[in-house]
């Protein structure tokens, strides 16, 4: 890629930095910072707001507006449990957002196969590449997640932090990002690896990375949405109680193909409330 084309990525990230930082912080606090630090700060603020706002709204809807509709009163997580999950997630957040910051840096320097405009390749090619990207991400996250269980050292020192939430009355939307920092990063790394394999639209890549905060909120609310083939909370609740099923991310396909799928109908934890 030529310098002029790479400048398109820099211009886009600069725009995002200004949209977030200029509206939330005094100009003198962030403008002198190098571009990469501005990007990290923008990702930190945006990631934190997305996590807290989506979690609060979802808890308000499920536990207050729809109290006893989706989750019985006795299964609503204690406030102490949710505050602990927020504490764990917020300790990890500065590290989490290092991943999109690094991916943006690599994209700006032309190290990946990212493209800046859908018009560069056309809508048909964009959709084909997007499907391939999502398949690679699904494959990568499945195996990363499974190995975090199968390799005892990784489970003990990384993934066990997340699996202390193993009952319906301890799982909440806030558990979605309550990981050891390295664990959370490892499970998102397939998003970045895919950039070196398949041409990927830059804005779509960033959107999908930050969609993780909303998706993980959804799959930790213990409500089985029955939307086949999506790996909804019904499936993921089973994962938190059996430890050996439903490692997939967006869909159940990898678990189905590799024999690790456990249907919510077969497990009392996953039934619709």
């Amino acid at each position: 890629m030529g310098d002029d084309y790479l400048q398109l990525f820099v211009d886009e990230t600069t725009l995002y930095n200004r949209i977030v930082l200029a509206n939330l912080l005094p100009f003198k606090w962030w403008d002198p910072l190098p571009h990469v630090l501005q990007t990290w700060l923008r990702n930190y603020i945006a990631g934190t707001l997305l996590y807290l706002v989506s979690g609060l709204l979802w808890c308000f809807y499920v536990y207050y507006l729809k109290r006893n509709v989706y989750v019985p009163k006795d299964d609503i997580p204690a406030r102490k449990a949710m505050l602990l999950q927020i504490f764990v997630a917020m300790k990890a957040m500065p590290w989490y957002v290092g991943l999109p910051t690094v991916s943006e840096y690599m994209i700006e320097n032309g190290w990946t196969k990212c493209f800046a405009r859908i018009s560069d390749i056309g809508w048909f090619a964009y959709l084909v590449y997007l499907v391939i990207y999502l398949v690679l991400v699904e494959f990568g996250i499945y195996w990363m997640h499974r190995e975090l269980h199968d390799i005892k050292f990784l489970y003990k020192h990384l993934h066990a932090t997340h699996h202390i939430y193993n009952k319906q009355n301890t799982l909440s939307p806030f558990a979605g990002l309550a990981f050891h920092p390295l664990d959370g990063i490892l499970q998102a790394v397939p998003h970045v690896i895919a950039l070196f394999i398949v041409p990927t639209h830059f804005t779509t890549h960033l959107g999908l990375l930050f969609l993780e905060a909303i998706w993980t909120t959804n799959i930790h609310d213990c409500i089985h949405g029955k939307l086949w083939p999506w790996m909804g909370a019904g499936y993921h609740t089973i994962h938190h109680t059996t430890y050996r099923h439903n490692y997939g991310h967006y869909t159940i396909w990898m678990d189905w193909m590799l024999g690790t799928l456990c249907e919510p109908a077969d497990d009392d934890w996953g039934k619709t409330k």
Side-chain angles (χ1 to χ4, degrees), residues 82-203:
M82 290 190 281
L83 288 174
L84 177 60
Q85 291 161 10
I86 293 172
F87 176 72
V88 172
M90 293 313 301
K91 280 202 306 180
M93 188 67 72
W95 301 98
Y96 289 162
V97 300
L99 186 66
T101 303
V102 169
S103 77
E104 289 180 46
Y105 180 83
M106 292 189 295
I107 292 166
E108 291 170 354
N109 283 277
W111 300 349
T112 71
K113 295 193 174 189
C114 266
F115 56 91
R117 301 166 299 205
I118 296 176
S119 59
D120 293 339
I121 62 168
W123 278 97
F124 179 76
Y126 165 76
L127 293 173
V128 170
Y129 288 142
L130 177 60
V131 170
I132 297 172
Y133 174 92
L134 291 173
V135 169
L136 290 172
V137 168
E138 188 72 26
F139 176 87
I141 293 179
Y142 173 89
W143 280 110
M144 187 68 75
H145 190 185
R146 184 167 175 174
E147 293 309 304
L148 283 162
H149 280 267
D150 291 348
I151 299 174
K152 300 307 179 186
F153 178 85
L154 295 181
Y155 182 82
K156 178 180 179 181
H157 294 284
L158 298 182
H159 202 49
T161 299
H162 184 64
H163 269 276
I164 63 172
Y165 316 113
N166 56 9
K167 297 180 177 63
Q168 282 184 304
N169 61 2
T170 60
L171 280 168
S172 84
F174 290 115
L177 290 182
F179 291 92
H180 184 286
L182 184 56
D183 182 2
I185 290 170
L186 286 173
Q187 293 198 59
V189 157
H191 278 282
V192 178
I193 294 175
L195 300 179
F196 295 90
I197 301 172
V198 59
T200 306
H201 182 229
F202 177 47
T203 309

Side-chain angles (χ1 to χ4, degrees), residues 44-59:
Y44 177 73
I45 293 173
T48 299
L49 289 175
L50 190 59
Y51 168 69
L52 293 176
V53 171
S54 62
L56 284 168
L57 288 176
W58 200 239
C59 287

Side-chain angles (χ1 to χ4, degrees), residues 13-31 33 38-39 41-43 45-46 49:
T13 55
T14 299
L15 174 63
Y16 297 151
N17 291 346
R18 292 188 176 279
I19 289 173
V20 174
L21 300 180
N23 285 287
L24 296 175
L25 296 175
F27 184 79
K28 63 182 180 180
W29 287 12
W30 59 270
D31 187 64
L33 296 175
Q38 290 186 18
T39 298
L41 184 59
R42 177 252 296 170
N43 286 332
I45 293 173
L49 289 175

